[in-house]
Each structure stands twice: as C-alpha cells, then as structure tokens.
Amino acid sequence: MSSFYFCLERLKEAFYTLPSVTPKYAAKLASDFIKLPSEARKKLLNELGDAEGSIKICSVCGNYSTEEICDICGDGKRDSSLICVVEEVMDVTSVEEAGFNGMYHILGGRIDPLNKILPENLNIDSLFKRLETGAVKEVILATNLNRKGIATSRYIYNEIKRRFGDVKISHPAHGLSEGSEIIYVNPHTLKEALEERRPFE
Ligand SMILES: [Zn+2]
C-alpha cells in the first residue's frame, strides 16, 4: 500500500470515530478533506483544535460548556428548584425549544446492562448530590420513552424515593407516544407534555 493510501485509510478511520458516520460516509469525508485547498484544510484543522481546547463539561449538570459552569446553570433567572433529567446533551436543545425554564441534568446515556452501561457509568450520582442541598423541589424524568430510557428513569425514581422522599418526581408523558425520543418530538408537543407532566409512578 502506498503511503498516500495509508494516509487515506487513517483519515477514514479518524472520521469513522464520529458515532453517526458510517464507513461509506467516512470515506466520503476523507475524500472531501483531501480535495480541499491546503488553506481550507488548515482552517478546518485550526477550528477543530480550538474547539478541542475549549470544550468542557459543566461540573453541575454535565452539559457541554466553554466554562467550568454552563450558561444554563449560571443563569440566575431560571427556576433552580426544578431539574429536567435528559439522556443526552442534544435533548437539552429540544427541551429549551419547548420553552422550559428550569435546570437540567444530563446523564450521558441510558442504563444498558447488556452493553455494560451501569448506573455508575452515567452522570447519575451527581444528580443525587444536587438533591442533597434540599433546594430542588421537583425532578422531571425526560428520558426517551423506549425500554432503556424508561428503565433508566425507573432506577432514578427508585433511588430518589429512597433517599429524598419529599422531592416530587414527574415525567412528560402527556401526548407522547410509546417509543418517543425527546430529540424528535416537536417543540409544541413537548411544551404541552412538560406543562401537563404527570407524577412518575
Ligand atoms: Zn450546567
């Protein structure tokens, strides 16, 4: 194999590390990258390098941030007695578009024992630490309405009930169908589901 093809293979592998990129798409990205003028390639690499250097994880909620604490956690105008628990950072965007004005807690995934993802592998313990202050009155469990999402909410519900009996626990079930993923629910439906949220039982 020539050194150029070796270089191309490494590029493909690098693009393939992005979760939504298929092998075929990785090959297309590698080819697009090679075809760019040298200046454009350098600019892209600089942007990637800058992003890498400034991406942090918010120490409170687990959201991405350029600071130690994200914009949402640092916003004193939001309702800090209400925490909406979601699976992924992208879910925050959907809930924000639905007009939610409380705080968030991002789990970074869902409990999935078959793939060795246990509660301790997710950002769950820090949620319980936030509840220890007593300032949080309600937790909305907005995981996806599929089997793993519901099992994750069930685990968190049981732990909160056991440790913090007086915290209200709800979920945005109203108008959402079984299998719904928060990221794909339209903002209007999600807004209604959040407003008409029901006790998690
Ligand atoms: Zn935060």
Side-chain angles (χ1 to χ4, degrees):
M1 193 185 280
S2 80
S3 54
F4 171 73
Y5 283 99
F6 184 64
C7 163
L8 184 64
E9 283 306 310
R10 288 186 57 188
L11 259 183
K12 281 193 228 169
E13 277 174 31
F15 284 119
Y16 187 49
T17 54
L18 295 168
S20 59
V21 171
T22 60
K24 202 172 165 186
Y25 189 38
K28 172 91 176 79
L29 287 172
S31 150
D32 285 352
F33 180 79
I34 287 166
K35 283 185 211 158
L36 280 178
S38 176
E39 278 309 305
R41 285 202 297 260
K42 279 184 196 142
K43 188 168 182 297
L44 180 58
L45 290 177
N46 282 338
E47 295 294 345
L48 290 172
D50 285 353
E52 207 297 312
S54 56
I55 295 171
K56 295 189 175 83
I57 305 259
C58 172
S59 60
V60 178
C61 71
N63 200 354
Y64 288 124
S65 174
T66 52
E67 306 294 334
E68 179 70 23
I69 290 180
C70 75
D71 293 343
I72 294 175
C73 290
D75 183 351
K77 295 196 193 81
R78 300 183 72 108
D79 182 357
S80 57
S81 71
L82 182 60
I83 293 183
C84 179
V85 175
V86 293
E87 292 183 21
E88 303 285 357
V89 168
M90 291 313 291
D91 298 330
V92 171
T93 315
S94 302
V95 182
E96 280 294 281
E97 281 173 9
F100 182 69
N101 193 41
M103 312 309 265
Y104 292 93
H105 199 84
I106 297 111
L107 302 174
R110 60 222 57 80
I111 299 172
D112 183 4
L114 286 179
N115 287 307
K116 297 193 169 59
I117 301 172
L118 302 172
E120 56 266 36
N121 304 120
L122 298 171
N123 186 32
I124 293 182
D125 254 358
S126 60
L127 171 65
F128 304 142
K129 289 209 173 65
R130 291 175 80 178
L131 300 183
E132 279 169 12
T133 66
V136 177
K137 303 298 173 212
E138 182 179 352
V139 172
I140 304 173
L141 296 172
T143 55
N144 295 328
L145 292 178
N146 50 34
R147 197 169 47 82
K148 288 173 192 165
I150 292 166
T152 304
S153 276
R154 172 68 51 199
Y155 170 83
I156 296 171
Y157 169 83
N158 288 339
E159 286 298 305
I160 295 177
K161 272 276 160 231
R162 189 168 68 78
R163 302 184 195 197
F164 313 95
D166 52 351
V167 172
K168 196 172 153 191
I169 310 168
S170 58
H171 67 149
H174 177 87
L176 299 186
S177 51
E178 203 181 307
S180 288
E181 294 190 26
I182 297 298
I183 192 169
Y184 300 123
V185 179
N186 79 60
H188 179 73
T189 307
L190 192 53
K191 186 175 193 299
E192 273 192 3
L194 286 162
E195 282 168 359
E196 307 281 324
R197 58 188 182 270
R198 297 168 184 164
F200 190 96
E201 282 160 347

